Amino acid sequence: MKVAKFGGSSVASATQFRKVADIVSSDVERRIIVVSAPGKRFKEDIKITDILIQLAQAVMEGTACDEIVQAVVKRYAEIAKELELPADEFTAELEKDLRWKMNEYRHDPCHLMDAIKASGEDHNARLMALYLQEIGLEASYVNPREAGIIVTDEPGNAQILPESYEKLYHLRKRRGVLVIPGFFGYSLEGNIVTFPRGGSDITGSIVAAGVKADVYENFTDVDSIYCVNPSIVENPRQLKEITYREMRELSYSGFSVFHDEALEPVYKAGIPVCVKNTNNPAAPGTWIVAKRNHHDEPIAGIASDTGFCSINISKYLMNREIGFGRRLLQILEDEGISYEHTPSGIDNMSVILRENQLEGGKEQRILDRIQTELEVDEVHIEHGLALIMVVGEGMERTVGMAAKATAALAKANINLEMINQGSSEVSMMFGVKEEVVADAVRALYEVYFQEASVGNEV
């Protein structure tokens, strides 16, 4: 059995619906599909989810909603009409459902937002099931509550409950192709609750683990996962294989293919993932597996992200002061701030965090508290940092990986603000100024992939 998830670009139009139908009908093992809401059809287009967010905000603010509702209805009507489905009947049910949710959750803003947002996936799954039936496939829409996707009642941050997996396993007994909407589940209280960013990927992974699928396929709009962002490096190398741990590190560090939480269910269940292209399904794609051969390619990929800052602290004999690190992090916890990394020396320590967490006067409060409570010699915050992660499980057994990076950055005349390597040696982190991050990534790509490729050919 295969579980296949189709992202927003894969279900954005009638043309894409037909491609999905061809993919599903070409393999009898694709028994369960998970669909996102319609994504962008072209660069300037608006995703259905974004329109639905506008709708929820309008309801909360008490402003006019009819025009936004009709924008949603029109998008689905276009798809249905082009697929020669009963568009009027379908869109009448869609509008009725939207208006019911708008009224039902009007005085509960958090659940209102989730219920409205989830409508994108929900009605797209219903439409996909209708189309598959129309072309002669035995197919049915399965609501997440019916499927057994039971979650915590945390709007926008749903977590799957353990009992869901046993309920999901019963889907194996159902006939035909099952179409499940991604992105949301139901709480024990009966509320619609959405998963965090990348929610449809999370649904697909949960369903695959629940039914004990042989493979979880994730269809998107690229032939495979690239080892580096193609908007930074032209025509980068495509990855044939990558491990769960490597993918998790890269997702955390800026790779947009998978949200880092989305892999956990299939990782625990040991189910391989194949990332494929809806527009070119014959391409082999990229496999995400438990283990791979690291001998020829110790590095799996390079990821980068911007928007970081560093709290830099100096204090003579810091290393002899018991509890210094704990008290420092307690100050951040008191302000509701999470951190990313903590590089340190014997008399200095840095805390790397997202700089958007320092809004609302938090920055000065933190600086004042660190100075007063920890009696440090110096404390300041450095803004405008970018983090680059070089990821690969093969680094642990390959000599000179860090030296290659620092030499490449020096050659490109890029100053390193910081460097950090975890004890697992799956990744190395480099901090640079945001304005040079693209140059730094290109320098690292050249030394790890282009030079390595030439070496292997020789």
Side-chain angles (χ1 to χ4, degrees):
M1 176 186 280
K2 294 177 181 178
V3 171
K5 178 260 176 180
F6 293 89
S9 62
S10 300
V11 289
S13 65
T15 299
Q16 295 302 94
F17 264 61
R18 293 189 183 98
K19 292 176 184 177
V20 170
D22 289 343
I23 290 167
V24 173
S25 59
S26 70
D27 189 341
V28 295
E29 292 183 358
R30 291 188 178 112
R31 294 264 313 283
I32 300 175
I33 67 172
V34 174
V35 299
S36 296
K40 290 186 176 185
R41 295 160 293 184
F42 45 88
K43 188 176 180 180
E44 296 78 18
D45 201 12
I46 303 175
K47 298 177 182 178
I48 278 289
T49 302
D50 292 336
I51 301 175
L52 290 167
I53 290 171
Q54 291 175 18
L55 176 59
Q57 289 170 338
V59 174
M60 288 186 278
E61 294 165 4
T63 56
C65 299
D66 287 350
E67 190 175 326
I68 307 175
V69 170
Q70 292 311 311
V72 176
V73 169
K74 181 183 177 184
R75 182 76 181 273
Y76 283 98
E78 288 174 355
I79 297 173
K81 286 176 182 176
E82 195 173 331
L83 294 174
E84 299 181 356
L85 296 173
D88 291 343
E89 182 182 336
F90 180 84
T91 53
E93 285 298 315
L94 164 61
E95 184 170 352
K96 179 181 176 183
D97 177 64
L98 282 176
R99 293 193 182 279
W100 181 86
K101 288 171 180 172
M102 289 160 60
N103 183 63
E104 180 71 13
Y105 294 102
R106 185 175 298 275
H107 303 296
D108 184 354
C110 292
H111 286 111
L112 168 72
M113 179 62 77
D114 273 24
I116 296 293
K117 279 195 302 185
S119 301
E121 278 75 11
D122 193 38
H123 289 282
N124 221 30
R126 294 172 189 270
L127 191 58
M128 180 63 72
L130 273 177
Y131 179 59
L132 295 178
Q133 293 164 9
E134 182 69 19
I135 64 171
L137 289 180
E138 184 179 4
S140 57
Y141 159 83
V142 181
N143 181 271
R145 176 156 48 189
E146 179 190 354
I149 302 175
I150 311 301
V151 299
T152 57
D153 205 337
E154 302 173 74
N157 192 38
Q159 303 297 311
I160 194 73
L161 294 179
E163 57 263 36
S164 298
Y165 292 104
E166 186 176 343
K167 295 176 185 294
L168 282 162
Y169 187 74
H170 294 294
L171 293 175
R172 293 184 69 100
K173 301 174 185 176
R174 306 252 316 236
R175 291 171 56 86
V177 177
L178 309 182
V179 186
I180 302 174
F183 191 37
F184 71 99
Y186 283 82
S187 69
L188 292 171
E189 293 81 4
N191 292 315
I192 295 170
V193 193
T194 62
F195 292 112
R197 181 172 60 93
S200 290
D201 287 336
I202 295 174
T203 299
S205 184
I206 288 168
V207 172
V211 300
K212 294 181 167 55
D214 297 299
V215 175
Y216 170 41
E217 295 179 315
N218 193 292
F219 281 87
T220 179
D221 54 5
V222 292
D223 281 350
S224 63
I225 299 173
Y226 296 106
C227 66
V228 70
N229 187 339
S231 69
I232 297 177
V233 175
E234 190 176 352
N235 297 320
R237 184 183 299 186
Q238 297 180 4
L239 295 174
K240 295 178 182 177
E241 208 172 46
I242 187 172
T243 69
Y244 297 119
R245 290 175 71 199
E246 290 169 337
M247 192 69 236
R248 152 85 171 114
E249 291 272 354
L250 289 167
S251 296
Y252 155 77
S253 309
F255 260 41
S256 59
V257 177
F258 264 108
H259 187 269
D260 49 0
E261 288 183 33
L263 281 176
E264 183 182 17
V266 286
Y267 164 72
K268 287 183 174 178
I271 297 169
V273 180
C274 189
V275 178
K276 294 178 72 68
N277 189 351
T278 305
N279 304 312
N280 184 21
T286 298
W287 285 91
I288 306 174
V289 293
K291 294 181 180 179
R292 70 175 179 90
N293 180 7
H294 305 108
H295 179 70
D296 293 331
E297 295 184 344
I299 301 297
I302 303 166
S304 60
D305 205 0
T306 57
F308 295 94
C309 65
S310 174
I311 304 175
N312 301 320
I313 302 140
S314 298
K315 185 176 184 180
Y316 190 64
L317 298 180
M318 181 190 292
N319 65 312
R320 294 190 185 180
E321 190 171 328
I322 296 172
F324 184 90
R326 175 186 56 77
R327 288 186 289 137
L328 171 60
L329 296 179
Q330 184 63 55
I331 292 172
L332 297 181
E333 183 179 343
D334 291 345
E335 293 287 349
I337 290 174
S338 62
Y339 70 94
E340 309 292 328
H341 303 275
T342 55
S344 62
I346 58 170
D347 290 334
N348 54 73
M349 184 175 183
S350 296
V351 182
I352 314 300
L353 46 88
R354 295 274 181 184
E355 57 187 356
N356 61 6
Q357 296 185 95
L358 296 179
E359 296 170 352
K362 288 185 180 181
E363 179 171 340
Q364 194 56 51
R365 285 201 303 272
I366 288 169
L367 289 174
D368 291 343
R369 286 190 62 184
I370 291 172
Q371 186 70 63
T372 304
E373 297 175 27
L374 303 182
E375 299 178 335
V376 299
D377 299 331
E378 182 185 356
V379 57
H380 69 276
I381 297 181
E382 183 178 0
H383 290 277
L385 293 179
L387 298 187
I388 303 170
M389 299 292 285
V390 176
V391 176
E393 290 188 0
M395 287 194 294
E396 186 179 6
R397 293 174 296 278
T398 308
V399 175
M401 300 309 291
K404 276 188 175 184
T406 54
L409 293 172
K411 183 180 176 182
N413 199 31
I414 292 168
N415 186 47
L416 264 178
E417 304 297 325
M418 66 194 71
I419 180 170
N420 194 29
Q421 183 169 23
S423 58
S424 65
E425 293 193 46
V426 176
S427 64
M428 292 185 293
M429 182 274 286
F430 302 95
V432 298
K433 290 292 188 181
E434 285 183 342
E435 55 266 26
V436 298
V437 64
D439 291 335
V441 168
R442 284 189 281 267
L444 292 170
Y445 176 80
E446 182 178 348
V447 74
Y448 284 126
F449 290 100
Q450 291 182 320
E451 290 182 11
S453 179
V454 171
N456 288 338
E457 290 173 6
V458 174

